[in-house]
């Protein structure tokens, strides 16, 4: 089992920045594709971005491209989500997730999930 714990959420004004962390434990972290998803109130959970096991390749949803940056430090078993130029529509619970194998944008293909961290952006 891989355990994932997110942190770093909070309340921020529109235009501000926030950095989320996802710490993994239990298994070898650097073999997993990692991703961030988010779920806003009354909406389906959606893909935010993903990073390859070695951290070389990233990809993002169009809604966050150019504003969010995903990175990982495999020596610390940690993935990060740097969120800049935040908008009220970024308000959601943010989840990190992990999977073996190929990159995917489909949440159903991810095997391990954190409990989520709330991000609220005020206008």
């Amino acid at each position: 089992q891989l355990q994932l714990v997110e942190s770093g959420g909070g309340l921020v004004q529109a235009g501000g920045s926030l950095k989320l962390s996802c710490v993994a434990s239990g298994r070898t972290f650097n073999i997993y594709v990692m991703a961030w998803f988010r779920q806003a109130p009354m909406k389906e959970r959606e893909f935010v971005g993903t990073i390859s096991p070695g951290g070389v390749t990233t990809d993002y949803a169009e809604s966050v491209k150019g504003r969010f940056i995903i990175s990982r430090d495999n020596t610390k078993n940690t993935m990060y989500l740097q969120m800049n130029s935040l908008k009220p529509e970024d308000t959601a619970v943010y989840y990190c997730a992990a999977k073996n194998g190929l990159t995917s944008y489909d949440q159903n293909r991810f095997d391990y999930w954190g409990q989520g961290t709330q991000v609220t952006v005020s206008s």
Side-chain angles (χ1 to χ4, degrees), residues 8-66:
L11 174 64
V12 63
Q13 286 191 328
S17 298
L18 211 56
K19 187 173 185 177
L20 306 183
S21 299
C22 172
V23 179
S25 62
R27 288 200 171 185
T28 305
F29 178 67
N30 62 7
I31 66 172
Y32 291 95
V33 171
M34 299 294 297
W36 289 96
F37 292 82
R38 67 185 182 186
Q39 187 167 21
M42 308 299 290
K43 292 190 175 181
E44 297 286 323
R45 188 158 56 184
E46 65 177 4
F47 169 79
V48 174
T50 187
I51 187 166
S52 60
V56 174
T57 303
T58 56
D59 199 7
Y60 301 91
E62 285 298 322
S63 59
V64 306
K65 200 171 287 186

Side-chain angles (χ1 to χ4, degrees), residues 41-122:
M42 308 299 290
K43 292 190 175 181
E44 297 286 323
R45 188 158 56 184
E46 65 177 4
F47 169 79
V48 174
T50 187
I51 187 166
S52 60
V56 174
T57 303
T58 56
D59 199 7
Y60 301 91
E62 285 298 322
S63 59
V64 306
K65 200 171 287 186
R67 300 188 298 122
F68 289 12
I69 300 171
I70 295 176
S71 61
R72 65 192 293 168
D73 184 341
N74 287 343
T75 67
K76 297 181 179 179
N77 287 358
T78 303
M79 174 179 65
Y80 304 98
L81 180 65
Q82 176 67 47
M83 303 184 293
N84 302 317
S85 302
L86 281 161
K87 306 175 181 180
E89 51 263 44
D90 294 318
T91 295
V93 177
Y94 283 71
Y95 299 90
C96 66
K99 70 179 298 293
N100 279 306
L102 300 177
T103 297
S104 176
Y105 311 127
D106 182 355
Q107 60 179 306
N108 295 310
R109 297 194 177 274
F110 282 79
D111 302 306
Y112 304 102
W113 291 84
Q115 82 290 349
T117 185
Q118 176 71 47
V119 171
T120 303
V121 184
S122 63

